[in-house]
């Protein structure tokens, strides 16, 4: 499993290798390759592993989800959004290539992700289901809506508002790989939905931990700048304080860990350790 994540750049390159324009490809691969924790692909592969499925079944979808995630980071870093200059340990895409090229690299990653899904040899109905999950999770009722809420700069944001924002902005891209793994493992619709809900809760735990790390670590340690503090953003930590945010993260983590035992025919070992390292992490 770890091997598949270690080889993930090569798996991605097999897909990006089909892109013809070298300048566009350079801007896409600059953000896509050689960085990132690959949590979302790892989630998908862990579900497949737990159900005893061939991991290569997940390759096109793991690539597609990482492409959508990378596009969201490129666009999120733009001057019109969070205006960040450091991401994945290097200058952000627009700092390196200019704004127009960064917008287009993001657009290209988002669009190409859906083409990559169709490179799968899975049954057509599984591909359509996963394309639907990914499009819904990324789109106007998913991650983009989360970003809309995020940019509203609600002065009176309470935890309910923040939780809704995080569920959309961060949770959806955790829910999609878990549910996609369940689709490929031919699980029931009820079970796919349960994986989806678990992903939303895990995304929330991840985000609260991210907020904690933002106030406790340097940009150098995190490999990204902390625009939340600069932009005076309300976060789990500014709203709840460090102690309550920590307690919330611990209880979300426990909830996710407990949920793993409720999937029949599933060996939770791999996913359990991924969830632990996702929630209890230092970068
Ligand atoms: C729709 C225009 C438009 C932009 C989308 C939703 C969005 C903008 C951006 C989301 C980016 C973001 C900062 C989300 C919060 C979740 C989060 C902490 C992402 C970072 O994920 P990691 O830590 O990153 O997994 P790596 O680099 O390791 O993959």
């Amino acid at each position: 499993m770890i091997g598949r994540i270690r080889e993930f750049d090569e798996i991605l390159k097999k897909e990006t290798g089909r892109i013809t324009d070298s300048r566009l490809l350079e801007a896409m691969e600059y953000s896509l390759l050689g960085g990132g924790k690959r949590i979302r692909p790892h989630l998908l592969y862990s579900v497949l592993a737990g159900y005893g499925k061939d991991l290569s079944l997940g390759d096109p979808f793991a690539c597609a989800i990482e492409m959508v995630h990378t596009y969201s980071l490129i666009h999120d870093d733009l001057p019109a959004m969070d205006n960040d200059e450091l991401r994945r340990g290097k200058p952000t895409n627009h700092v390196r290539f200019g704004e127009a090229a960064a917008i287009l690299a993001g657009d290209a990653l988002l669009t190409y992700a859906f083409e990559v899904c169709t490179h799968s040899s899975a049954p057509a109905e599984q591909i359509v289901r996963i394309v639907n999950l990914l499009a819904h999770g990324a789109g106007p009722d998913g991650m983009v809506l989360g970003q809309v809420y995020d940019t509203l700069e609600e002065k009176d944001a309470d935890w309910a508002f923040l939780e809704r924002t995080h569920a959309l902005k961060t949770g959806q891209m955790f829910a999609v790989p878990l549910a996609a793994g369940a689709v490929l493992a031919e699980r029931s619709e009820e079970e796919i939905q349960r994986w989806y809900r678990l992903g939303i809760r895990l995304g929330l735990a991840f985000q609260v931990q991210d907020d904690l790390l933002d106030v406790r670590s340097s940009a150098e340690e995190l490999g990204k700048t902390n625009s939340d503090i600069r932009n005076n953003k309300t976060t789990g930590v500014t709203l709840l304080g460090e102690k309550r945010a920590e307690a919330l993260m611990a209880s979300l983590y426990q909830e996710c860990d407990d949920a793993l035992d409720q999937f029949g025919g599933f060996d939770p070992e791999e996913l359990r350790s991924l969830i632990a390292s996702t929630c209890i992490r230092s970068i």
Side-chain angles (χ1 to χ4, degrees):
M1 165 61 65
I2 299 302
R4 197 138 211 101
I5 294 301
R6 210 178 298 122
E7 288 159 19
F8 195 62
D9 269 20
E10 296 311 311
I11 297 171
L12 281 167
K13 272 198 237 170
K14 275 191 208 136
E15 297 295 348
T16 54
R18 303 172 187 226
I19 294 165
T20 53
D21 186 89
S22 59
R23 287 159 308 175
L24 181 57
L25 179 62
E26 190 193 352
M28 291 166 78
E29 287 190 332
Y30 175 80
S31 294
L32 187 64
L33 303 178
K37 296 180 287 296
R38 310 306 194 197
I39 294 171
R40 296 149 190 85
H42 203 157
L43 287 169
L44 196 160
Y45 289 128
S46 299
V47 173
L48 287 176
Y51 284 121
K53 293 282 175 185
D54 179 353
L55 299 187
S56 68
L57 257 183
D59 287 347
F61 306 106
C63 290
I65 292 164
E66 189 66 12
M67 286 176 190
V68 171
H69 167 59
T70 305
Y71 124 80
S72 83
L73 299 178
I74 296 174
H75 281 197
D76 191 56
D77 289 336
L78 286 167
M81 300 263 178
D82 280 358
N83 195 17
D84 277 305
E85 298 195 339
L86 188 69
R87 170 72 68 183
R88 291 182 164 173
K90 50 190 186 180
T92 46
N93 201 288
H94 67 273
V95 168
R96 171 71 176 76
F97 296 98
E99 261 185 80
I103 291 168
L104 291 168
D107 291 343
L109 284 165
L110 172 62
T111 319
Y112 193 53
F114 292 96
E115 185 175 337
V116 168
C117 289
T118 68
H119 296 159
S120 164
S121 55
E125 58 274 22
Q126 289 183 9
I127 300 176
V128 170
R129 182 74 180 100
I130 296 172
V131 164
N132 173 267
L133 283 165
L134 182 54
H136 184 82
D141 281 315
M143 190 174 65
V144 173
L145 181 59
Q147 184 73 351
V148 170
Y149 289 158
D150 192 76
T151 55
L152 286 179
E153 292 181 24
E154 286 274 317
K155 294 286 172 260
D156 306 321
D158 56 9
W159 175 247
F161 177 82
L162 213 57
E163 186 173 351
R164 206 169 63 231
T165 303
H166 291 338
L168 294 166
K169 191 178 154 180
T170 310
Q172 291 286 342
M173 283 306 117
F174 278 70
V176 171
L178 292 179
V183 170
L184 293 169
E186 300 165 280
R187 310 312 292 183
S188 69
E189 188 55 35
E190 184 273 331
E191 208 167 316
I192 293 165
Q193 290 301 328
R194 269 200 289 138
W195 279 111
Y196 204 90
R197 287 195 295 275
L198 170 58
I200 299 286
R201 301 299 282 170
L202 181 61
L204 194 55
F206 174 86
Q207 184 62 61
V208 176
Q209 176 69 356
D210 210 67
D211 292 344
L212 280 162
L213 287 174
D214 269 354
V215 296
R216 291 172 173 175
S217 320
S218 66
E220 206 171 48
E221 285 166 315
L222 294 175
K224 59 177 182 171
T225 36
N226 186 346
S227 55
D228 283 353
I229 294 173
R230 179 171 22 90
N231 295 338
N232 255 329
K233 282 259 176 78
T234 306
T235 71
V237 174
T238 62
L239 202 62
L240 304 172
E242 278 191 55
K243 273 217 153 68
R244 281 173 64 205
E246 211 166 60
L248 174 65
M249 197 286 291
S251 103
L252 285 164
Y253 164 61
Q254 198 54 56
E255 176 189 326
C256 294
D257 187 73
D258 291 346
L260 292 183
D261 296 320
Q262 288 151 31
F263 294 96
F266 181 76
D267 173 359
E269 194 189 336
E270 178 74 33
L271 190 51
R272 176 155 277 139
S273 67
L274 175 59
I275 286 181
S277 63
T278 299
C279 293
I280 306 155
R281 71 200 155 98
S282 54
I283 55 160

